[in-house]
Amino acid sequence: MCTVCGCSTSRPSASPTAEEGHEHSHAHAHSHDHEHSHDHAHSHDHGHSHAHTHSHDHAHSHDHGHEHPHEHGHHDDGCRLLDRQPAPSRHPLAAAIPNTADGAAGVTHPGHRRDSTLDYGKGPAGVHVAGVSQRRLVAIETDILARNNRIADRNRARLEAQSTLALNLMSSPGSGKTTLLVETLGQQPGGDVAVIEGDQQTANDAQRIRATGVPALQVNTGKGCHLDASMIERALTQMALPPRSLLFIENVGNLVCPAGFDLGEDAKVVILSVTEGEDKPLKYPHMFAAASLMVLSKIDLAPYVDFDMQACEAHARRINPDIEIIRLSARSGEGMPAWLDWIAARRESLRHKALAQAKVSLDVVEDKSV
Amino acid sequence: MHEMSICQSIVDLIEEQALAESFDRVSRVCLEIGVLSCVEPGALAFGFEVSTRGSIAEGATLDIVDVPASAWCFGCNQTVEIARRGDDCPRCQGARLRVTGGEELRVKELEVV
């Protein structure tokens, strides 16, 4: 397309030589490059192209009125020039445009662009400079994860209103998350418990959970390396949990990516087994910085492995001074009461929070009714 | 590689803005990435090129502005700059620090055409 006049047939000229700049750009010269063509001047397509006949020098000017209003300036200039100094070339405008010292009249004509969204008033300096491509800066200042965070906030509000405690369990693959869950589910004092299992593939973990009688929803992320808030939103809708439930979200086994994605959980729990390195908190700091609790698991194996629990805990606290730590073994049961108590305290505190919020709402309603 | 989904979020954000601000081509995207954020700039640049293909930001230049990390030192009672999580205070060499900045992950501005 011609970027000057918008016609579909001619080519814009990058280098506005006399010939090209104008033939192509407007004249559609090809269509009637020959003199006689003017008789269809009335057909208003390209009056100017035959301006050379001079006989109807400006007949064309009106031709364009409706079609390409912006072209006027152009043609008028051209024609005026033509009147003053008849062009040697066969196209009057061809002479006119390139000869203008600054070239401004001809070459970059904003209005010629077909792009209706361009607004030159929005240029960096609020002006348009001919020949300078139009760019502007749009300040965004928005968190890249804003959308995920919005959905996570929605999930959190939904869970809190129901006084349902959601815990996001994260670890590297093989730390014993599912084993810990199976043991934990069997020791819940009461109330509804449910699990969302995140894995790239297979429903193996959900099946292990379901075998305990607890409902489990498997979320397969495919190639995804973490769960995100929208996956949890969909899962919550599908699961329709009763109020005051306990929901475990077992994230994809990965000590890196899940750390960055808020799901709307009450707390993130990172599980680290003593068969891994004690320096993992230093190697994967994001995860330990994001977690409220670190569970050191498989401590029944501690005598057989070279794992310094104290050093590991010091590393975790260095990364996150607020992190709580529980040592346990799901297999031997050692440390399990502390974990179960931690969950119970969290549920209780959430219940108080939900009650306090409900009370505020009630107060608002009562004040209004008075 | 969560950088891919972060890039997808960037493309979503750009397309939302394109509707709001009426533009249909983006030539440069400027991000502010905290040095403590969970994003690796190299992986982000790769993901950006892939994610923007076929979008209005295809071929756009990606500028990443690093935001330094800051922490509150309980020993010095003031904010200090650190290089990474777990660093000691550069002033008092104390280890009691709480990170206060450097986790940013933001689209700062777009250059649009």
Side-chain angles (χ1 to χ4, degrees), chain A residues 139-351:
Chain A
I140 305 274
E141 302 288 354
T142 304
D143 196 301
I144 293 171
L145 295 176
R147 184 170 169 273
N148 184 73
N149 294 344
R150 272 201 304 275
I151 301 172
D153 288 344
R154 214 149 67 203
N155 291 344
R156 186 168 287 115
R158 180 175 178 174
L159 290 162
E160 283 180 2
Q162 297 261 304
S163 191
T164 287
L165 179 73
L167 298 176
N168 180 2
L169 308 185
M170 304 181 288
S171 77
S172 38
S175 67
K177 282 193 300 294
T178 313
T179 304
L180 174 62
L181 260 186
V182 167
E183 285 305 311
T184 306
L185 297 173
Q187 300 186 41
Q188 283 307 308
D192 290 281
V193 185
V195 176
I196 296 173
E197 279 290 343
D199 280 299
Q200 287 198 321
Q201 293 184 26
T202 83
N204 294 353
D205 282 359
Q207 281 162 8
R208 277 176 74 187
I209 300 295
R210 287 185 199 121
T212 70
V214 166
L217 181 73
Q218 181 77 47
V219 177
N220 283 141
T221 57
K223 295 191 173 87
C225 48
H226 58 271
L227 293 174
D228 66 32
S230 69
M231 293 173 183
I232 300 305
E233 184 172 52
R234 257 171 284 160
L236 289 176
T237 302
Q238 192 169 328
M239 295 174 97
L241 299 172
R244 295 178 302 286
S245 293
L246 171 59
L247 173 65
F248 291 102
I249 302 168
E250 189 181 329
N251 218 314
V252 177
N254 178 340
L255 217 45
V256 182
C257 310
F261 294 82
D262 186 5
L263 305 180
E265 71 281 314
D266 182 70
K268 291 183 169 75
V269 177
V270 59
I271 297 155
L272 180 59
S273 66
V274 299
T275 55
E276 304 172 59
E278 68 223 1
D279 56 354
K280 276 209 170 161
L282 299 180
K283 286 179 171 170
Y284 301 94
H286 300 297
M287 183 60 74
F288 294 85
S292 304
L293 171 70
M294 173 171 85
V295 170
L296 266 181
S297 67
K298 304 188 186 179
I299 58 166
D300 55 312
L301 298 179
Y304 312 103
V305 294
D306 189 17
F307 186 94
D308 185 337
M309 283 196 268
Q310 277 186 337
C312 178
E313 292 174 0
H315 295 326
R317 291 207 166 95
R318 170 175 278 264
I319 297 299
N320 178 353
D322 297 328
I323 200 164
E324 295 178 77
I325 299 172
I326 294 173
R327 302 177 182 183
L328 59 74
S329 162
R331 176 172 288 180
S332 73
E334 185 183 352
M336 282 297 282
W339 162 239
L340 298 173
D341 287 348
W342 185 88
I343 295 171
R346 212 84 203 184
R347 290 183 86 170
E348 188 59 14
S349 122
L350 184 66
R351 197 174 70 84

Side-chain angles (χ1 to χ4, degrees), chain B residues 79-91:
Chain B
T79 298
V80 294
E81 193 168 306
I82 55 172
R84 63 186 73 80
R85 275 182 212 282
D87 273 4
D88 289 334
C89 172
R91 288 172 56 92

Side-chain angles (χ1 to χ4, degrees), chain A residues 113 115 117-118 122 133-147 150 223 225-226 254 256-257 259-261 282 285-286 289 317-319 321-322, chain B residues 1-2 5-6 9-10 12-13 16-17 21-24 27-28 31-33 36-38 85-88 95 97-98 103 105-113:
Chain A
R113 293 273 183 104
D115 185 351
T117 61
L118 273 182
K122 288 183 176 174
S133 71
Q134 187 61 30
R135 291 176 182 219
R136 65 186 166 103
L137 295 178
V138 178
I140 305 274
E141 302 288 354
T142 304
D143 196 301
I144 293 171
L145 295 176
R147 184 170 169 273
R150 272 201 304 275
K223 295 191 173 87
C225 48
H226 58 271
N254 178 340
V256 182
C257 310
F261 294 82
L282 299 180
H286 300 297
R317 291 207 166 95
R318 170 175 278 264
I319 297 299
D322 297 328
Chain B
M1 187 167 117
H2 59 293
S5 42
I6 288 182
S9 304
I10 296 172
D12 291 347
L13 213 141
E16 270 175 33
Q17 287 292 322
E21 296 277 337
S22 298
F23 56 82
D24 42 31
S27 50
R28 190 171 65 83
L31 307 180
E32 279 181 337
I33 305 292
L36 301 184
S37 72
C38 54
R85 275 182 212 282
D87 273 4
D88 289 334
L97 297 176
R98 177 165 322 207
E103 296 177 303
L105 210 53
R106 295 156 65 79
V107 180
K108 184 173 163 53
E109 62 188 17
L110 304 176
E111 184 183 81
V112 304
V113 185

